[in-house]
Amino acid sequence: MQPLISLQNVSKQYGEKTVLNNVNIDIFPAQIIGYIGPNGAGKSTTVKILTGVIQDYTGLVTINGRDIKEDILGLKQMIGYVPELADLYDLLTPNEYLHFIGALYNLPDFIIKERSQKILQSFGLLENIDQRMDSFSKGMRQKVLLTAGILHNPSIVILDEPMSGLDANAVIVVKELLQVLKQEGKTIFYCSHMMDVVEKVSDRIVLIDKGTIIANDTIEALRDGSDNSLEKIFAKMTTSENLNETAENIAQAMQDK
């Protein structure tokens, strides 16, 4: 089977700093990929490359067999992107914002209206559809971002900390949604620091550290016969420090005079 998304020897530098170093990843249809790493590891840069925001990288990135640099607008039609933080045009209502987003994807007004209402109702936000978003909490904003990201029914969904600010019930809904989208044949690229969620929903886990892929396998293979959680595996592979000792040092520093 041919990969739906492929990164081949992808590197990116900011001045003399190497952010991605010969990254190679193949992602196949109907997979959920958990993409994890410490802060500054290169996750956001990878996402920006996949979404066409960054184009001055070396190597080859293809989606559905096409070089993303050669057909950015066409390939963006296939992608739904949910960032952790985004400007939501606070003076707009969800209804106005989602109609704006839908129009960018050339969706008919009646489709935008129907999908927006159904999705927002599922998130418990329908009663706020005509309320200006400058009064929204972070969780409410995140629900609007999630709605905007899947409104055009993309075949690829890229999620960057999608659970940020969500209440417990909404987190459950999103976890179930990921499984439903996978069953429908959609491919999910999921970046998160919530290790327990990544561990439960991902078919494969890709761990990046200092711009280099250091693991790319199933959670079972990464455990290597142990019963370690992904959190413990992550800590073992990305730091040589004793994290318990680090926490004790922080607590001790609070008491020092």
Side-chain angles (χ1 to χ4, degrees), residues 10 89 105 114 118 128 141 160 163 184 199 218 254:
V10 173
Y89 303 104
Y105 290 100
E114 183 176 344
K118 286 183 177 179
N128 306 101
R141 291 167 180 262
D160 191 356
M163 314 289 194
E184 292 179 350
E199 182 174 344
T218 63
M254 295 165 59

Side-chain angles (χ1 to χ4, degrees), residues 181-192:
L181 293 177
K182 174 190 169 182
Q183 291 169 13
E184 292 179 350
K186 301 186 187 304
T187 302
I188 315 293
F189 190 82
Y190 178 35
C191 303
S192 180

Side-chain angles (χ1 to χ4, degrees), residues 174-198:
V174 173
K175 287 165 61 177
E176 293 297 322
L177 175 62
L178 295 181
Q179 296 301 327
V180 172
L181 293 177
K182 174 190 169 182
Q183 291 169 13
E184 292 179 350
K186 301 186 187 304
T187 302
I188 315 293
F189 190 82
Y190 178 35
C191 303
S192 180
H193 290 296
M194 296 176 67
M195 296 296 159
D196 57 332
V197 178
V198 173

Side-chain angles (χ1 to χ4, degrees), residues 225-242:
S226 73
D227 60 353
N228 284 341
S229 66
L230 179 59
E231 186 177 74
K232 291 182 178 179
I233 295 169
F234 178 89
K236 182 178 180 180
M237 298 184 76
T238 60
T239 182
S240 58
E241 298 179 8
N242 184 319

Side-chain angles (χ1 to χ4, degrees), residues 138-223:
K138 178 173 175 52
M140 294 169 73
R141 291 167 180 262
Q142 195 66 16
K143 291 174 182 178
V144 176
L145 284 173
L146 282 161
T147 304
I150 61 176
L151 188 65
H152 60 296
N153 194 25
S155 56
I156 299 169
V157 182
I158 298 176
L159 305 170
D160 191 356
E161 296 289 355
M163 314 289 194
S164 179
L166 295 182
D167 57 67
N169 287 335
V171 168
I172 294 171
V173 169
V174 173
K175 287 165 61 177
E176 293 297 322
L177 175 62
L178 295 181
Q179 296 301 327
V180 172
L181 293 177
K182 174 190 169 182
Q183 291 169 13
E184 292 179 350
K186 301 186 187 304
T187 302
I188 315 293
F189 190 82
Y190 178 35
C191 303
S192 180
H193 290 296
M194 296 176 67
M195 296 296 159
D196 57 332
V197 178
V198 173
E199 182 174 344
K200 289 176 182 176
V201 304
S202 302
D203 297 303
R204 204 166 84 242
I205 293 165
V206 179
L207 175 52
I208 185 170
D209 189 24
K210 299 175 183 176
T212 301
I213 302 297
I214 60 174
N216 183 351
D217 220 323
T218 63
I219 182 61
E220 290 78 13
L222 293 176
R223 286 192 179 115

